[in-house]
Structure formats: structure tokens, C-alpha cells
Amino acid sequence: MLSNTVAFIYFIIYIVKHDEGNGRGVITLRIKDISFGENIPSDVLMIGLPAALQTTLAMVSNIFANVLIRPYGSAAVAGMGVAKKINMIAFNTCMGMTMGILPLLAYSYGAKNFDRMKKIIRYTGTVIIIFGCLCTVFFRIFAPEIVRFFIDEPESVGYGRDFLRIIAFAAPLAAGSYLMNTVFQSAGRKKSSFILSILRKGVLDIPAMFVFRVFYGAEGVCIATPFAEIVSVFIAVILYLNFIGKVNK
């Protein structure tokens, strides 16, 4: 609570300070500058909605995962929680890097500087996919040691190790999906971004948890994560190639 409060105050001070002097600030808190014209509110909501959905559906997905794992005991639930949190290191880092380039992509797209836009996409894609692959290798090799850092109960460590080694395969795939989603958001491709957001978490992984649990038990709940990412990144590539084809024309 304190860290968020301090951050909030810092940003308010920053915006007010840079908005002084003949209204030179790009971001302003002045009520008179609010605009409801030119479809601004709808564009803001539709472009921001996929990002909100990703977070909301991820929480819903975790709820279902815990409910489906619960019959296997508290050790399995603890192992799942630890494995998910460890994998968030890879997921959130990739998401952060893709969110960081969103303004660059938007500026380039708006200026019709498509060569620069594609260079940014290629560079970022290379970095995050390599990072995701390294995380997969690292998590699979050192899974017991990493899980033990969070919890030291032998049965929970065993579950967490097995779960982490499965979920780890999703890291480079999620990196690709995050990047494509950022590209669509920066270009105002609301439908593509929306489709990709609900596919990754909600439409694909929750039904897959139920199906794979029937065949693979507790591990099946984890298999749903890389499965959903594989399907999502495949659809993301199709949408991206269609987008780039239109850009090239």
C-alpha cells in the first residue's frame, strides 16, 4: 500500500510540474482539456480493454487451476502456487519489455515509418524469445532448487518441481503472444488485440484444464498452460502476418 501510494504521489507531482508554464505538458490533469470527441473515449476503452482482460482472466484462470488441483491435496495446491509464481518472472518480464515498446511502435505507426516499426518488432521479438527460452531451460534444470527457495516441504517441492517443468515451456510462447498483442494495441487493431487476450486466458486454458486433468491428473492442469500458448501464438502469427501484409501494401 505504501509503495503504491508513494508512486502515485510521485506521478501526480511529475505531471503537475511538467504541465506548468503555458500548458506545455503532454499529459495534463486539467478538467477543461478532457475531450469526448473524435471517438477518444471509445478508442481508449477498446485499446485498454484487452490489457485489463489479460490481468482479469489470468486471475480467473488461477482460480480454476487451484480448484481443480485441490482434490490432490494441500501439497499439490502449494506446489501449483509456487510454480505459477516462479513462471511469472518470465511472463511478467516479457510483458514489461513489450509494454515498454508500445509508445515506440505507436509513434512509428502513426508517422507511417513502417521500417522503423518492423525493426523494433524484430529486435524486441529476438530479445524476449531468447529470454523466454533461457527461462525454460533454467526452470527445467534447476526446478527443485528454485521451488525449494519458496517452500521446503518435500511433497510440495515434488509437485512444484513437476508443475514448473511443464509450465516453463510456455515462457517463449507467451513472449510471442505478448509482442503481437502489443503490436495490435499500438496500431489500434482493437479486434485482433481483444481476440488474442481472451484466447490466452479464459477461452483456451480453462476448458483445457478440465480435459487434460481427465487424462493426466494433476499435471494435466499444468499442461493446459503451454497448450493454450501454442494455439494462441499460432493465431497471433496469422493475425500479425495479415496486419503486416496490409502495412506493406
Side-chain angles (χ1 to χ4, degrees):
M1 182 196 72
L2 290 174
S3 64
N4 278 282
T5 302
V6 172
F8 175 74
I9 293 172
Y10 167 78
F11 285 124
I12 293 295
I13 294 172
Y14 183 90
I15 291 170
V16 171
K17 182 179 178 181
H18 286 76
D19 195 39
E20 293 175 351
N22 300 320
R24 289 177 295 180
V26 175
I27 302 174
T28 178
L29 298 176
R30 289 175 296 184
I31 301 296
K32 69 185 184 64
D33 289 329
I34 294 176
S35 174
F36 295 98
E38 300 179 2
N39 298 319
I40 290 175
S42 61
D43 282 346
V44 169
L45 290 173
M46 286 305 298
I47 292 173
L49 181 62
L53 277 175
Q54 280 193 130
T55 303
T56 304
L57 291 176
M59 290 188 290
V60 173
S61 175
N62 285 335
I63 291 170
F64 274 94
N66 287 329
V67 169
L68 292 173
I69 284 289
R70 194 166 54 197
Y72 298 95
S74 58
V77 174
M80 172 67 81
V82 170
K84 289 267 189 181
K85 285 177 175 62
I86 294 170
N87 206 51
M88 280 174 63
I89 296 170
F91 276 47
N92 287 357
T93 303
C94 292
M95 182 189 294
M97 284 191 280
T98 56
M99 288 175 65
I101 66 164
L102 197 153
L104 294 173
L105 292 174
Y107 298 153
S108 301
Y109 183 80
K112 300 192 186 318
N113 191 342
F114 301 127
D115 288 336
R116 184 174 66 174
M117 184 188 76
K118 287 186 279 188
K119 285 179 182 177
I120 295 168
I121 294 170
R122 285 196 297 268
Y123 176 80
T124 308
T126 301
V127 171
I128 63 174
I129 290 174
I130 289 175
F131 175 78
C133 290
L134 290 175
C135 286
T136 298
V137 173
F138 184 76
F139 290 163
R140 285 189 59 80
I141 293 176
F142 299 104
E145 291 78 9
I146 301 172
V147 172
R148 202 172 285 115
F149 183 80
F150 289 84
I151 192 168
D152 202 28
E153 199 277 314
E155 190 178 1
S156 296
V157 171
Y159 275 114
R161 174 200 62 211
D162 296 339
F163 294 162
L164 179 59
R165 284 174 172 167
I166 295 170
I167 297 173
F169 282 114
L173 298 167
S177 292
Y178 287 142
L179 179 59
M180 298 301 102
N181 207 354
T182 299
V183 171
F184 298 142
Q185 284 181 284
S186 66
R189 301 277 170 164
K190 298 180 281 288
K191 290 182 180 178
S192 297
S193 183
F194 179 79
I195 290 170
L196 207 52
S197 295
I198 64 172
L199 277 180
R200 285 190 60 254
K201 295 294 181 182
V203 173
L204 289 174
D205 69 330
I206 292 176
M209 289 181 198
F210 286 92
V211 174
F212 286 124
R213 192 183 72 152
V214 174
F215 297 100
Y216 302 104
E219 291 184 351
V221 179
C222 297
I223 294 173
T225 299
F227 166 78
E229 296 295 351
I230 290 171
V231 178
S232 295
V233 80
F234 177 75
I235 295 172
V237 169
I238 294 175
L239 293 172
Y240 175 74
L241 291 175
N242 178 58
F243 165 71
I244 286 296
K246 292 180 179 177
V247 166
N248 290 334
K249 289 181 181 179

